[in-house]
Amino acid sequence: MTDKLAPHDRIFCAIDTTDLAHAIDLASNLSGVIGGAKLGKEFFAAHGPQGVREVAKAGLPIFLDVKYHDIPNTVAGAIRAVTPLGLKIVNVHATGGFEMMKRAGEAARETADKAGVDAPWVIAVTVLTSLDQVDLDDVGLAGPISERVVKLAELTQKAGLDGVVCSAQEITAVRAACGPDFKLITPGIRPAWSSSDDQKRIVTPRDAVAMGTDVMVIGRPITKADDPVKAAKRIVDELF
């Protein structure tokens, strides 16, 4: 539940880069300041599992944001491959369906037990925060975003996964549908003093916490700041 997390533990910094040295430097400087680092496809494509291990040495828990979406057997195999890295969070796409998500969760738990590591939270992406209603209509996905997010969250919970990635704007609805222990990870978080960039459905960190988020993914307001550590501390301070 959200009240078990200290303010700084709620923040994971999105380190979206192919520069390994820069990623390690950022993670090292932010260790102890925030709750973890998110490494995405950009980083993983360039450096793979070994790159994740190198960043993890800084001591920050790792959210591997690879958004697996394929047939169930392939996704289960991919989850088995990355679980021994000792991840805190790994994700798949909810639109991959019930069986794919179920197999992903099972693979993570079984592999973690064999590898002697804690099982990661396996979460599912509902609707990307870069998309708005017009975008969904354009690709033929009719219906309000909030309804689609809730339906996907309910399917994710039914499949036995730990939570979902959703916009903070859907937190209240997802909480009502899935309960207080279902993990909610919210990207698209922007402090009032930063640029919104390409995120269309955003709220401030303080508002997201008030709404009940578990973990916030914050990238450019930290990574593009003149002083990333100072920016991260400013965000943490605003949560009190």
Side-chain angles (χ1 to χ4, degrees):
M1 293 175 63
T2 58
D3 59 0
K4 295 180 181 178
L5 295 172
H8 76 277
D9 286 333
R10 299 178 188 276
I11 299 171
F12 273 55
C13 179
I15 303 179
D16 297 320
T17 179
T18 57
D19 186 333
L20 179 60
H22 180 56
I24 293 171
D25 184 60
L26 268 173
S28 298
N29 290 333
L30 292 169
S31 183
V33 178
I34 59 173
K38 181 188 79 73
L39 299 174
K41 289 180 178 177
E42 191 177 344
F43 179 88
F44 199 62
H47 303 291
Q50 187 54 40
V52 176
R53 293 188 187 97
E54 291 298 318
V55 175
K57 289 178 182 178
L60 279 178
I62 300 296
F63 170 11
L64 187 60
D65 180 25
V66 282
K67 300 184 182 74
Y68 289 131
H69 188 172
D70 212 310
I71 63 173
N73 190 58
T74 297
V75 170
I79 293 291
R80 279 193 292 270
V82 299
T83 294
L85 295 172
L87 307 170
K88 177 65 177 179
I89 310 171
V90 66
N91 60 3
V92 300
H93 266 292
T95 49
F98 174 83
E99 185 64 23
M100 188 204 78
M101 289 193 285
K102 179 175 177 287
R103 293 278 300 279
E106 291 171 346
R109 292 187 289 271
E110 292 167 2
T111 305
D113 185 59
K114 292 178 182 178
V117 299
D118 291 335
W121 296 354
V122 183
I123 63 173
V125 176
T126 52
V127 176
L128 294 170
T129 55
S130 59
L131 303 178
D132 60 16
Q133 193 64 57
V134 172
D135 296 317
L136 289 191
D137 292 343
D138 284 346
V139 295
L141 298 177
I145 287 179
S146 59
E147 291 181 10
R148 182 163 296 279
V149 169
V150 169
K151 185 173 182 178
L152 289 169
E154 290 174 331
L155 184 65
T156 299
Q157 188 174 49
K158 183 179 178 181
L161 298 196
D162 299 288
V164 293
V165 179
C166 66
S167 162
Q169 296 177 11
E170 286 90 50
I171 287 175
T172 301
V174 175
R175 279 277 181 242
C178 299
D181 296 323
F182 195 60
K183 303 291 190 300
L184 301 184
I185 288 75
T186 54
I189 301 295
R190 291 289 186 272
W193 41 266
S194 72
S195 167
S196 64
D197 298 306
D198 59 355
Q199 301 292 340
K200 296 181 180 179
R201 293 180 293 131
I202 62 174
V203 298
T204 67
R206 187 173 186 132
D207 287 343
V209 170
M211 295 166 73
T213 191
D214 289 289
V215 169
M216 297 172 285
V217 176
I218 303 176
R220 282 165 283 194
I222 296 174
T223 61
K224 299 300 183 183
D226 292 336
D227 186 335
V229 173
K230 183 177 180 180
K233 288 180 177 178
R234 181 178 178 183
I235 294 169
V236 172
D237 288 344
E238 291 175 357
L239 299 182
F240 288 94

